[in-house]
Every structure is written in C-alpha cells, then in structure tokens.
Amino acid sequence: MGKVIAIANQKGGVGKTTSAINLAASLAALEYKTLIVDADPQANSTSGIGFNPKEIESSIYECMVDEVDAQDIIIETELEYLHILPSHINLVGAEVEMVSIKDRENRMREALKKVRKKYDFIIIDCSPSLGLITINALTASDSVIIPVQCEYFALEGLGKLLNTIKIIQTRLNTNLEIEGILLTMYDVRLNLSNQVVDEVKQHFSKMVFNTLIPRNIKLSESPSFGLPAIAHDAESKGAISYLNLAKEIINKNGLGK
C-alpha cells in the first residue's frame, strides 16, 4: 500500500511544484514506484514532467467529478518508476461542480483507492489555496510536506495552513500527519536565508527536514525542458538535494531497500 504525501502551502511561489516533481523523480530514481497527482488547475507538474496540459483528454478532474477510474488516466513518464495522474484547466471548475456532491471532501481519496497498492509513494501537488481540491488532497493523504521559502515573510500564512491541517485531522482524516517542513530557495550567502532557517527550526524543531533545497539554476530551468532536475542534470545541487530529501523520507518511514 503506497504512502500518500501531499505537498501543500496556500502561499504561491514557495516551491510546491518543484518539490513535487523532483521528490517524485528522486524516489523513482531510487527504484520506488511513484505516482505524481497533479491537483493544481495550473497543471505545472503535468507540463514540468513533459506533457502538454492542452492535449490531456482526461485528468484528476474526471476522476473527482465523473468518477472515471484513475487507472485509465495515469500516464507513464520517461523515468521507469514514475507515473503521473495529470491535471488540466477544467480542474478550476471542479470546486463549483462538487459543491452539491455528497461526501465531496473524499472524492480524491476514493479516486486513489484503486491505485494505491500499485505504488510505493503517491505525491500530490496541491494548488496555492485552501479550497476544496486542497482539502480533498489532505483528506486523501497519509502525511503532508509544507515547503517554506527562506525569504522574508516565510512564516506568513503558515499558522493558517497548520490550523486547516488540524481541522482536517479532527473532522476528515484522523491519520493525517505532518511529514515535515521543507526549507526551499536557500542561499548560503544570504544572512536572511540563515535567519529564516534558524527561526523555522526554533519554532518547529523536529518537524523540519535536515535537507535544505538551494536556489539552483538547474531546478529553475528543468521544467522548460519537461524534465525533473535529476534527468536534466543529475550532478546539479538541486537534483542532489532532492535525492537527499527522498532518502531522508525513505529512512524516516523505515522503507529502505
């Protein structure tokens, strides 16, 4: 039974999609069967892994709204152990269409039930909001990774997200855990980056991953090639950092091969 991990933060620009793509690709590179679920209407995980969202005929939207079988929609990628359940712009309308649906918070959980046993990990890339799709993702997940950028206002909105997670733990998914807080866009040369790292560790201590994700040109440019960083330049600092994160998560969950 695969472990489902959501990557969530309602703030935009904190590295959610970058983390979803590169963590999933790193787990796949370590030969763990991994599925990315693109739960963001912007479909950046879909395009960042090499697929044109405009050419996607069926997506997570159809799974949630029309109950289409996820197994029929999953696409294989160029990496042997990596598959994707894609997104497209129609997902924007899903929240409105699902308002009248019974048990609407559980639609993604139901969609993933049939495919969970086929994967070691399922990574959900959430949209930058705390709307119904993100609530679905958190309800469907075993744990959540919260990316926090090493910049001013880093902790802004984090309390709101943690409060949402608490509500979901109480009402919808009692098993949801925080996998960890992931510090992204770290620049060793900047005092501010180091201050943010210290501040986050001071507030959240054991919840913070040891791995820091640096600002890295290869991480920034790899989506334009439709590739994760590990396939674009495996020697880059960004690719190595996400590989280290994948190993940290594997060890934390006692899943080492």
Side-chain angles (χ1 to χ4, degrees):
M1 185 71 83
K3 176 153 194 179
V4 183
I5 304 174
I7 300 185
N9 190 329
Q10 77 274 22
K11 274 190 81 172
V14 297
K16 275 189 302 296
T17 298
T18 299
S19 296
I21 291 171
N22 289 292
L23 172 58
S26 296
L27 290 165
L30 294 167
E31 298 187 356
Y32 289 84
K33 289 178 183 171
T34 307
L35 175 69
I36 301 182
V37 178
D38 190 349
D40 185 349
Q42 295 174 78
N44 289 336
S45 278
T46 303
S47 59
I49 216 111
F51 299 98
N52 184 348
K54 291 175 183 172
E55 293 172 4
I56 297 294
E57 291 178 12
S58 297
S59 70
I60 184 68
Y61 167 84
E62 280 76 16
C63 294
M64 294 172 71
V65 175
D66 302 323
E67 297 187 79
V68 171
D69 194 330
Q71 293 178 99
D72 298 334
I73 292 169
I74 288 168
I75 308 169
E76 294 182 7
T77 73
E78 288 185 14
L79 290 177
E80 186 183 351
Y81 290 90
L82 183 64
H83 295 170
I84 184 165
L85 182 49
S87 177
H88 59 52
I89 194 67
N90 284 3
L91 195 59
V92 168
E95 300 211 355
V96 177
E97 291 183 49
M98 287 165 62
V99 165
S100 59
I101 293 175
K102 190 184 173 189
D103 206 24
R104 59 185 178 272
E105 296 89 356
N106 281 301
R107 300 295 275 202
M108 194 180 296
R109 180 193 270 169
E110 288 303 313
L112 296 179
K113 248 184 193 174
K114 289 181 185 174
V115 298
R116 272 190 76 152
K117 60 183 178 293
K118 294 187 172 186
Y119 296 97
D120 299 307
F121 289 97
I122 296 176
I123 307 294
I124 306 176
D125 180 20
C126 297
S127 62
S129 76
L130 292 178
L132 187 55
I133 305 295
T134 299
I135 288 167
N136 260 270
L138 294 172
T139 303
S141 297
D142 299 308
S143 65
V144 54
I145 291 173
I146 305 169
V148 173
Q149 82 281 35
C150 294
E151 292 175 2
Y152 200 62
F153 297 134
L155 298 179
E156 190 185 62
L158 197 54
K160 193 176 177 184
L161 176 62
L162 292 171
N163 196 41
T164 301
I165 290 168
K166 219 171 261 180
I167 291 166
I168 286 165
Q169 286 169 328
T170 308
R171 299 182 190 170
L172 296 167
N173 183 1
T174 52
N175 298 319
L176 182 66
E177 296 177 347
I178 294 175
E179 190 74 29
I181 292 173
L182 177 64
L183 290 158
T184 62
M185 303 178 195
Y186 176 71
D187 189 335
V188 70
R189 300 164 300 176
L190 297 180
N191 282 337
L192 179 61
S193 275
N194 294 306
Q195 283 167 13
V196 171
V197 171
D198 292 342
E199 190 179 354
V200 173
K201 285 187 173 176
Q202 196 178 324
H203 274 81
F204 301 103
S205 58
K206 290 177 184 174
M207 285 166 66
V208 185
F209 285 111
N210 293 324
T211 305
L212 296 171
I213 306 299
R215 279 195 177 280
N216 180 250
I217 191 70
K218 297 295 182 185
L219 278 180
S220 302
E221 70 183 22
S222 60
S224 65
F225 293 91
L227 293 168
I230 203 163
H232 178 52
D233 183 351
E235 309 268 305
S236 66
K237 280 185 181 176
I240 291 165
S241 296
Y242 277 109
L243 202 57
N244 288 336
L245 175 66
K247 288 173 183 171
E248 194 174 339
I249 289 168
I250 287 162
N251 292 334
K252 186 179 176 185
N253 287 281
L255 295 169
K257 289 185 177 180

Coordinates of all heavy atoms in Angstrom, one line a residue, residues 148-151 154-155 181-188 190-205 208-213:
V148 N 8.6 25.8 2.7 CA 8.7 27.2 3.3 C 9.9 27.8 2.6 O 11.0 27.3 2.8 CB 8.8 27.2 4.8 CG1 9.0 28.6 5.3 CG2 7.5 26.7 5.4
Q149 N 9.7 28.9 2.0 CA 10.9 29.5 1.3 C 11.7 30.3 2.3 O 11.2 30.9 3.2 CB 10.5 30.4 0.1 CG 10.0 31.8 0.4 CD 8.6 31.9 0.9 OE1 8.1 31.0 1.6 NE2 7.9 33.0 0.6
C150 N 13.1 30.3 2.1 CA 14.0 31.0 3.0 C 14.0 32.5 2.7 O 15.1 33.0 2.3 CB 15.4 30.4 2.9 SG 15.4 28.7 3.5
E151 N 12.9 33.2 2.8 CA 12.8 34.6 2.5 C 12.0 35.3 3.5 O 11.3 34.7 4.3 CB 12.2 34.7 1.1 CG 13.1 34.2 0.0 CD 12.4 34.3 -1.4 OE1 11.3 34.7 -1.5 OE2 13.0 33.8 -2.4
A154 N 8.5 34.4 5.4 CA 8.4 32.9 5.2 C 7.3 32.3 6.1 O 6.7 31.4 5.6 CB 9.8 32.3 5.6
L155 N 7.2 32.7 7.3 CA 6.2 32.1 8.2 C 4.8 32.6 8.0 O 3.9 32.2 8.7 CB 6.7 32.2 9.6 CG 8.0 31.5 10.0 CD1 8.4 31.8 11.4 CD2 8.0 30.1 9.7
I181 N 8.5 20.0 7.5 CA 8.6 21.3 6.9 C 9.9 21.4 6.0 O 10.9 21.0 6.5 CB 8.6 22.4 7.9 CG1 7.2 22.5 8.6 CG2 8.9 23.8 7.3 CD1 7.1 23.4 9.8
L182 N 9.7 21.7 4.8 CA 10.9 21.7 3.8 C 11.3 23.1 3.5 O 10.5 23.9 3.0 CB 10.5 21.0 2.6 CG 11.5 20.9 1.4 CD1 12.7 20.1 1.9 CD2 10.9 20.3 0.2
L183 N 12.5 23.5 3.9 CA 13.0 24.8 3.6 C 13.6 24.9 2.2 O 14.4 24.1 1.8 CB 14.1 25.2 4.6 CG 13.5 25.4 6.0 CD1 14.6 25.2 7.1 CD2 12.9 26.8 6.1
T184 N 13.0 25.8 1.4 CA 13.4 25.9 -0.1 C 14.0 27.2 -0.4 O 13.9 28.1 0.4 CB 12.1 25.7 -0.9 OG1 11.2 26.8 -0.6 CG2 11.4 24.4 -0.7
M185 N 14.6 27.3 -1.6 CA 15.2 28.6 -2.1 C 16.2 29.1 -1.1 O 16.4 30.3 -0.9 CB 14.1 29.6 -2.3 CG 13.0 29.2 -3.3 SD 11.8 30.4 -3.5 CE 10.5 29.4 -4.3
Y186 N 17.0 28.2 -0.5 CA 18.1 28.5 0.4 C 19.3 29.1 -0.3 O 19.8 28.5 -1.3 CB 18.4 27.3 1.3 CG 19.6 27.5 2.2 CD1 19.4 28.3 3.3 CD2 20.8 26.9 2.0 CE1 20.5 28.5 4.2 CE2 21.9 27.1 2.9 CZ 21.7 27.9 4.0 OH 22.7 28.2 4.9
D187 N 19.8 30.2 0.2 CA 21.0 30.8 -0.4 C 22.0 31.0 0.7 O 21.8 31.9 1.6 CB 20.7 32.1 -1.1 CG 21.9 32.7 -1.9 OD1 23.1 32.3 -1.5 OD2 21.7 33.4 -2.8
V188 N 23.0 30.1 0.8 CA 24.0 30.1 1.9 C 24.7 31.5 2.0 O 25.1 31.8 3.1 CB 25.1 29.0 1.7 CG1 26.0 29.3 0.5 CG2 25.8 28.7 2.9
L190 N 23.3 34.4 1.9 CA 22.4 35.5 2.4 C 22.2 35.3 3.9 O 21.8 34.2 4.3 CB 21.1 35.5 1.7 CG 21.1 35.8 0.2 CD1 19.7 35.8 -0.3 CD2 21.7 37.2 0.0
N191 N 22.4 36.3 4.7 CA 22.1 36.3 6.1 C 20.7 35.9 6.4 O 20.3 35.2 7.3 CB 22.5 37.6 6.8 CG 24.0 37.8 7.0 OD1 24.7 36.8 7.1 ND2 24.4 39.0 7.1
L192 N 19.8 36.5 5.5 CA 18.4 36.3 5.6 C 18.0 34.8 5.6 O 17.2 34.4 6.4 CB 17.6 37.1 4.6 CG 16.1 37.0 4.6 CD1 15.5 37.5 5.9 CD2 15.4 37.7 3.5
S193 N 18.6 34.1 4.6 CA 18.3 32.7 4.5 C 18.6 32.0 5.8 O 17.9 31.1 6.2 CB 19.1 32.1 3.3 OG 18.5 32.3 2.1
N194 N 19.8 32.3 6.3 CA 20.2 31.6 7.5 C 19.4 32.0 8.7 O 19.1 31.2 9.6 CB 21.7 31.9 7.8 CG 22.6 31.3 6.7 OD1 22.6 30.1 6.5 ND2 23.4 32.2 6.1
Q195 N 18.9 33.2 8.7 CA 18.0 33.7 9.8 C 16.7 32.9 9.8 O 16.1 32.5 10.8 CB 17.7 35.2 9.7 CG 18.9 36.1 10.2 CD 18.7 37.5 9.8 OE1 17.6 38.0 9.3 NE2 19.8 38.3 9.9
V196 N 16.1 32.8 8.5 CA 14.9 32.1 8.3 C 15.0 30.6 8.8 O 14.2 30.1 9.5 CB 14.4 32.1 6.9 CG1 13.2 31.2 6.7 CG2 14.0 33.6 6.5
V197 N 16.1 30.0 8.4 CA 16.4 28.6 8.8 C 16.4 28.5 10.3 O 15.7 27.6 10.9 CB 17.7 28.1 8.2 CG1 18.1 26.7 8.8 CG2 17.7 27.9 6.7
D198 N 17.1 29.4 11.0 CA 17.2 29.4 12.5 C 15.8 29.6 13.1 O 15.4 28.9 14.0 CB 18.1 30.5 13.0 CG 19.6 30.1 12.6 OD1 19.9 29.0 12.3 OD2 20.4 31.1 12.6
E199 N 15.0 30.5 12.5 CA 13.7 30.9 13.0 C 12.7 29.7 12.9 O 12.0 29.4 13.8 CB 13.2 32.1 12.3 CG 11.9 32.7 12.9 CD 11.4 33.9 12.2 OE1 12.0 34.4 11.2 OE2 10.3 34.4 12.5
V200 N 12.7 29.1 11.7 CA 11.8 27.9 11.5 C 12.2 26.8 12.4 O 11.3 26.1 13.0 CB 11.8 27.5 10.0 CG1 11.0 26.3 9.8 CG2 11.2 28.7 9.1
K201 N 13.5 26.5 12.5 CA 13.9 25.4 13.4 C 13.6 25.7 14.8 O 13.3 24.8 15.6 CB 15.4 25.1 13.2 CG 15.7 24.4 11.9 CD 17.2 24.0 11.7 CE 17.4 23.1 10.5 NZ 18.7 22.8 10.2
Q202 N 13.7 27.0 15.2 CA 13.4 27.3 16.6 C 11.9 27.1 16.9 O 11.6 26.6 18.0 CB 13.7 28.8 16.8 CG 13.8 29.3 18.2 CD 14.2 30.8 18.3 OE1 15.0 31.2 17.5 NE2 13.6 31.5 19.2
H203 N 11.1 27.5 15.9 CA 9.6 27.3 16.1 C 9.1 25.9 16.0 O 8.3 25.4 16.7 CB 8.8 28.1 15.0 CG 8.6 29.5 15.4 ND1 9.6 30.5 15.2 CD2 7.6 30.2 15.9 CE1 9.2 31.7 15.6 NE2 7.9 31.5 16.0
F204 N 9.7 25.1 15.1 CA 9.2 23.8 14.7 C 10.2 22.6 14.9 O 9.8 21.5 14.7 CB 8.7 23.8 13.3 CG 7.6 24.8 13.0 CD1 7.9 26.0 12.4 CD2 6.3 24.6 13.5 CE1 7.0 27.0 12.1 CE2 5.3 25.6 13.2 CZ 5.7 26.8 12.6
S205 N 11.4 22.9 15.4 CA 12.4 21.9 15.7 C 12.4 20.6 14.9 O 12.8 20.5 13.8 CB 12.5 21.7 17.2 OG 11.3 21.2 17.7
V208 N 11.2 19.9 11.1 CA 11.9 20.5 9.9 C 12.9 19.4 9.3 O 13.6 18.8 10.1 CB 12.7 21.7 10.3 CG1 13.4 22.4 9.1 CG2 11.8 22.8 11.0
F209 N 12.8 19.2 8.0 CA 13.7 18.3 7.3 C 15.2 18.7 7.5 O 15.4 20.0 7.5 CB 13.4 18.1 5.8 CG 12.2 17.3 5.6 CD1 11.0 17.9 5.1 CD2 12.1 15.9 5.8 CE1 9.9 17.2 4.8 CE2 11.0 15.2 5.5 CZ 9.9 15.8 5.0
N210 N 16.1 17.8 7.6 CA 17.5 18.2 7.6 C 18.0 18.7 6.2 O 18.8 19.6 6.1 CB 18.4 16.9 7.9 CG 18.1 16.5 9.3 OD1 17.9 17.3 10.2 ND2 18.1 15.2 9.5
T211 N 17.4 18.2 5.2 CA 17.7 18.6 3.8 C 17.2 20.0 3.5 O 16.0 20.3 3.7 CB 17.1 17.7 2.8 OG1 17.5 16.3 3.1 CG2 17.6 18.0 1.4
L212 N 18.1 20.9 3.0 CA 17.7 22.2 2.6 C 17.8 22.2 1.1 O 18.7 21.7 0.4 CB 18.7 23.3 3.1 CG 18.8 23.5 4.6 CD1 20.0 24.4 5.0 CD2 17.6 24.1 5.2
I213 N 16.7 22.9 0.4 CA 16.7 22.9 -1.0 C 17.3 24.3 -1.5 O 16.7 25.3 -1.1 CB 15.3 22.8 -1.6 CG1 14.6 21.5 -1.0 CG2 15.3 22.8 -3.1 CD1 15.3 20.2 -1.4

